[in-house]
């Protein structure tokens, strides 16, 4: 039996997980009995038992946890822990679902973490112009980066953005999240080979498990499975509002402090909407989420 060591959960499959030690070596581990299920990027204590098997004995307190509602079971699904930034990836193909982006941003604001919007596959833009909503996100203060893994443009800006802390790529299936990870990690093929030999995610096309990778420039990046939709866990209307940076600022100016921004007189949010200072698309996303999760 070895002394306990610090590690980070690279990926989990059933009761097994891959844990990265402080030297960067990856070990296959099981969880000690009755230990809560670990999640990708949990910081843990682990050791080798007398038979030489890796055992995770403790999950260290998380500074945040990204969760979403599973559309089938309607239960919370844990995506990853201890995130500093979240990049929501969109592409000209498949056609972007902007309400999904807004929903991801709500979860990001709740973590909280830095939100980044990535437009991948810029090589597929018909007229070379980025879609209109991207300008809205930039105006709200989110970093918006355009790139292509096909021609390699724009990747340096993403590498720089991800060089500190731990980031995750979120987005619809097929937008190119795994392709981005691959482009940022030239030796990924080798690592994927090593991971799949240990029972982790293989070279499959569709990602099925969130997996943590170490970037050569510093920083860590999590590749996550594509989602059809993204619903943050249930929240009060007030909590949903916190996820819309421009609306939460405006709400401070409403006449009633418990304003629902629907029918009240003196509503600063609706005034801004009517004068065109708030995007109707964003307000509709906010309303839909209040109706759904409230
Ligand atoms: N034209 C073009 N195609 C790309 C680009 N990046 C990725 N692709 C293609 O998009 C497809 C999907 O890429 P993936 O990286 O598997 O997408 P993903 O987001 O990881 O998908 P899931 O794992 O299912 O969530 C592949 O056929 C890639 O070759 C790009 O910049 N331009
Ligand atoms: Mg993938
Ligand atoms: Zn109001």
């Amino acid at each position: 039996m070895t002394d306990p060591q610090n590690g980070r959960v690279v990926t989990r499959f059933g009761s097994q997980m891959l844990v990265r030690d402080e030297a960067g070596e990856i070990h296959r581990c099981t969880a000690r009995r009755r230990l809560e299920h670990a999640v990708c990027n949990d910081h843990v204590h682990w050791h080798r038992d007398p038979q030489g098997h890796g055992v995770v004995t403790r999950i260290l307190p998380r500074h945040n946890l990204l969760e979403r509602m599973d559309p089938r079971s309607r239960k919370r699904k844990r995506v990853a822990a201890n995130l500093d930034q979240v990049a929501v990836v969109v592409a000209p193909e498949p056609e972007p679902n902007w309400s999904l982006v807004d929903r991801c941003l709500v979860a990001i604001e709740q973590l909280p973490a830095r939100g980044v919007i990535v437009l991948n596959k810029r090589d597929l833009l018909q007229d070379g112009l980025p879609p209109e909503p991207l300008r809205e996100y930039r105006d709200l203060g989110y970093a918006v980066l355009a790139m292509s893994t096909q021609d390699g443009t724009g990747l340096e800006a993403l590498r720089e953005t991800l060089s500190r802390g731990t980031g995750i790529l979120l987005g619809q299936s097929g937008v190119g999240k795994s392709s981005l990870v691959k482009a940022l990690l030239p030796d990924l093929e080798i690592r994927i080979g090593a991971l799949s030999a240990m029972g982790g995610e293989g070279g499959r096309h569709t990602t099925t498990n969130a997996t943590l990778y170490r970037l050569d420039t510093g920083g860590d990046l999590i590749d996550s499975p594509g989602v059809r939709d993204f619903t943050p866990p249930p929240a009060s209307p007030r909590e949903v509002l916190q996820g819309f940076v421009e609306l939460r600022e405006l709400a401070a100016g409403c006449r009633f402090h418990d304003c629902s921004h629907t029918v009240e007189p003196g509503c600063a949010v609706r005034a801004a909407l009517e004068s065109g200072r708030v995007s109707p698309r964003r307000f509709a996303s906010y309303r839909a989420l209040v109706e759904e999760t409230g």
Side-chain angles (χ1 to χ4, degrees), residues 173-174 176-179 201 204-208 223-226:
S173 190
K177 298 178 295 300
S178 299
S179 305
E201 186 89 334
R204 287 193 216 93
H205 283 307
T206 282
T207 310
T208 54
D223 187 13
S224 77

Side-chain angles (χ1 to χ4, degrees), residues 12 52 58 71 80 105 109 116 118 122 130 148 155 159 162 166 184-185 196 201-202 214 227 243 257-258 266 268 272:
R12 185 175 70 82
R58 189 163 170 234
L105 289 172
E109 295 298 330
V116 180
V118 167
R122 71 189 292 183
S148 165
L155 290 169
R159 198 192 299 276
L162 297 173
T166 302
L184 293 174
L185 289 179
S196 61
E201 186 89 334
R214 168 115 260 188
V227 291
H257 80 94
D258 59 349

Side-chain angles (χ1 to χ4, degrees), residues 47-105:
H47 66 248
R48 285 197 186 288
D49 70 11
Q51 288 76 42
H53 301 304
V55 183
V56 171
T57 52
R58 189 163 170 234
I59 298 171
L60 301 180
R62 301 173 175 128
H63 77 78
N64 62 31
L65 175 63
L66 178 65
E67 294 180 301
R68 66 186 192 93
M69 298 308 286
D70 181 57
R72 261 171 294 177
S73 68
R74 297 177 158 268
K75 284 192 186 139
R76 284 169 188 257
K77 211 172 147 88
R78 305 188 303 171
V79 183
N82 304 312
L83 301 171
D84 301 295
Q85 41 204 354
V86 180
V88 185
V89 185
V90 296
E93 275 276 350
E95 195 185 326
N97 174 348
W98 300 109
S99 89
L100 185 151
V101 175
D102 291 331
R103 287 155 175 262
C104 290
L105 289 172

